[in-house]
Amino acid sequence: MANNIITIARQYGSGGREIGEKLAKKLNIPYYDKELIAMAAKQSGFSEEIFEKADERATNSLLYSLMMGSYTFGGNVTSFNNMPINDKLFLIQADIIKKAAQEGPCVIVGRCGDYVLRDFKNVFHVFVHADKLSRMDRAVKKYGVDLEKAADFMAKKDKQRANYYNFYTNRRWGDPENYHLTLNSSAYGVDNAVDIIVSAEAVFQG
């Protein structure tokens, strides 16, 4: 697996981040997730706090156009300096993701990694999902979400991720056609999911 680059998109509470971390550790390759925010902040000169608020969120002022299907990021000709902070973060992170992929094997979680690296060879795209009860359990136990609010919170987070992905890629988040493997983590567990990805990616690379 000398050339493997793996992107992971995930439902909230599915364990996608943990799977990505364990996958990178198992393969002994770099892992990128929240680290991209710090790297983007350093490259841009903005504070990490500003980028954290904008992370994986579509531009608020354009959400109406997004929902109406009348605007896509690809059609935006606004200069970089005049862009909303969300758009700047996306472009900087996309640049960092591409550079990371050029440098060698890595695991990238979220941030439209599958789209950003769509023209790269040797990139394996994964979407991790799970059943509602498993996701709620993880949200409550691992992330401290209130049990009574867990279902609504998960729906909100997934909608946020879908809006972000759909907006910046003009694709549909979670569409199986965008990924080489879709994986139900509640059916297999985190460790088995890691092993499945390793095996599937090896077959993909041939």
Side-chain angles (χ1 to χ4, degrees):
M1 302 182 72
N3 299 314
N4 57 298
I5 299 166
I6 301 170
T7 70
I8 298 178
R10 73 286 185 222
Q11 285 184 318
Y12 182 83
S14 65
R17 179 176 298 165
E18 184 179 355
I19 289 170
E21 290 175 338
K22 289 193 172 186
L23 180 63
K25 186 174 182 179
K26 184 181 183 71
L27 298 175
N28 193 29
I29 59 178
Y31 169 82
Y32 298 99
D33 181 10
K34 293 293 185 181
E35 293 81 0
L36 290 170
I37 298 175
M39 296 169 72
K42 182 177 181 180
Q43 181 171 316
S44 68
F46 288 99
S47 70
E48 287 188 40
E49 289 76 14
I50 291 176
F51 274 170
E52 283 176 355
K53 292 180 180 179
D55 188 39
E56 291 197 302
R57 291 175 175 84
T59 306
N60 291 332
S61 62
L62 296 173
L63 281 181
Y64 177 77
S65 297
L66 168 64
M67 290 185 291
M68 296 301 291
S70 58
Y71 183 92
T72 61
F73 182 72
N76 188 4
V77 295
T78 305
S79 68
F80 182 83
N81 289 336
N82 294 326
M83 285 181 180
I85 193 70
N86 310 62
D87 296 349
K88 291 180 180 179
L89 175 59
F90 174 79
L91 289 177
I92 295 170
Q93 285 188 334
D95 184 58
I96 293 171
I97 288 171
K98 289 178 181 178
K99 288 179 179 178
Q102 290 169 346
E103 290 176 359
C106 58
V107 174
I108 298 166
V109 173
R111 285 121 192 125
C112 305
D114 59 283
Y115 177 78
V116 172
L117 299 179
R118 64 193 182 281
D119 295 326
F120 280 61
K121 296 181 179 180
N122 300 319
V123 183
F124 189 66
H125 305 304
V126 180
F127 186 84
V128 179
H129 58 99
D131 64 58
K132 186 175 181 179
L133 290 179
S134 295
R135 294 169 60 209
M136 286 180 64
D137 184 66
R138 178 178 291 274
V140 172
K141 293 181 179 178
K142 292 232 172 194
Y143 305 137
V145 178
D146 186 278
L147 178 59
E148 295 182 357
K149 300 178 181 179
D152 289 340
F153 185 78
M154 289 192 314
K156 180 180 179 181
K157 293 293 289 186
D158 279 348
K159 184 177 181 180
Q160 174 185 306
R161 289 177 180 177
N163 284 343
Y164 173 84
Y165 184 89
N166 299 347
F167 177 70
Y168 286 111
T169 71
N170 201 27
R171 295 180 177 181
R172 184 167 62 87
W173 182 75
D175 187 340
E177 291 188 5
N178 298 331
Y179 313 99
H180 298 109
L181 175 68
T182 60
L183 184 62
N184 185 341
S185 60
S186 54
Y188 298 101
V190 169
D191 291 335
N192 286 330
V194 170
D195 291 338
I196 290 170
I197 293 172
V198 170
S199 297
E201 198 272 345
V203 172
F204 170 74
Q205 295 290 358

